Amino acid sequence: QVQLVESGGGLVQAGGSLRLSCAASGRSFSSYTMGWFRQAPGKEREVVAAISWSGGTTFYADSVKGRFTISRDNPKNTVYLQMNSLKPEDTAVYYCAADYLPWSLHSNSEKYDYWGQGTQVTVSS
């Protein structure tokens, strides 16, 4: 069993930055593929970024490429999402997710069994 707790969300002006953290409890964190997803009102949940168990491979949605950076600190059981140059369209609830997954499934939200409670990110124009 894995528990995930996100933090770091908030209200920021367009062009600003936020750093989200996702702290995991339980064993085997270093074996999990980790993903960040977001869901805006009236929209489906979408993948934002993902990182392999070792941190050696990352994925970014086209909409955030060049602005967001995902990283992980396995000894601290934590994954991060650094968000720069934020835009109003980045406004959403952000969730972290974890599971034992082959890398080919990293962007498929249905394949993740463990989810955090979400943290709200609001970007004002």
Side-chain angles (χ1 to χ4, degrees):
Q1 190 74 13
V2 176
Q3 292 185 328
L4 304 173
V5 179
E6 302 101 334
S7 61
L11 173 64
V12 64
Q13 289 188 332
S17 297
L18 285 173
R19 189 195 196 199
L20 305 184
S21 299
C22 174
S25 63
R27 299 181 296 177
S28 302
F29 171 81
S30 61
S31 300
Y32 292 131
T33 295
M34 300 294 297
W36 282 100
F37 293 78
R38 67 186 181 187
Q39 188 165 18
K43 294 188 176 181
E44 293 187 353
R45 189 171 296 188
E46 62 176 359
V47 63
V48 175
I51 190 166
S52 63
W53 65 272
S54 67
T57 305
T58 57
F59 164 85
Y60 297 96
D62 287 343
S63 58
V64 307
K65 205 170 290 184
R67 300 187 298 122
F68 290 11
T69 302
I70 189 171
S71 61
R72 67 191 295 162
D73 186 337
N74 284 345
K76 293 185 178 179
N77 282 12
T78 303
V79 64
Y80 304 97
L81 186 67
Q82 178 67 44
M83 305 186 295
N84 299 329
S85 303
L86 282 161
K87 304 176 181 180
E89 51 263 44
D90 294 319
T91 296
V93 178
Y94 283 70
Y95 301 88
C96 69
D99 213 329
Y100 291 113
L101 292 179
W103 184 245
S104 59
L105 298 176
H106 62 269
S107 62
N108 188 335
S109 62
E110 295 181 359
K111 298 300 183 181
Y112 287 85
D113 280 343
Y114 305 113
W115 291 84
Q117 82 288 353
T119 185
Q120 176 71 47
V121 171
T122 303
V123 185
S124 63
S125 57

